[in-house]
Amino acid sequence: ILMSTGSVSKGKCDFIFSALTLMNATIYFNGLFIKPGKPLIFAKFDKFYTYFFGLPGNPISSIICVRFFVYHFIRNYFLFTEELGIKVKLSHSIVKKIGFTVFLKSFLHKKDKFFFIDCMYEQESFKIYSLTKTYFWVLLQSDKKSYNINEYVEIFCYEPYSWKNMLYDE
């Protein structure tokens, strides 16, 4: 598996797609309807039996792509069991653009014996500080525009299987 970061969007300095084409790579996808992480490229060099992930240059976008696409590919490649998120209630409502799958930085807390998830205010993919204060990603589906308070959403740890010390008690 090869990975690169940056040069995968649509700007004049973004050359990865062209380079892959010149090298006769099979491009499986070039961009996804996700936020953050939209410009992800996935390809294969058949001649070298090598898979390629072209990650976005934005730090949070790259983290999302590694966490949900590279990890997933490795798990499937080695026939590991599928990773499942857990369902937790939202502590606030969310409205998002339909047509995009969205991953939100969040933290889990317990109140009155129930678990709730709070999404951070600083969701921009260049804001790294909020990433250091949270442990979970909330997954919002592409076909849904709004989520209500107390509605169940699927959450994932930043790192698979690292659920220790990630709960804030009230």
Side-chain angles (χ1 to χ4, degrees), residues 2-6 8 16 20 29 37 39-43 52-57 62 65:
L2 292 175
M3 287 189 286
S4 71
T5 57
V8 294
I16 296 294
L20 290 170
F29 58 80
L40 177 66
I41 295 176
F42 178 59
F52 176 80
F53 286 93
L55 305 173
S62 285
C65 290

Side-chain angles (χ1 to χ4, degrees), residues 8-10 29-41 56 61 64-65 97 100:
V8 294
S9 289
K10 305 290 185 217
F29 58 80
N30 178 21
L32 299 171
F33 290 104
I34 64 170
K35 283 187 167 190
K38 183 179 177 185
L40 177 66
I41 295 176
S61 296
I64 289 285
C65 290
K97 186 177 179 180
F100 278 85

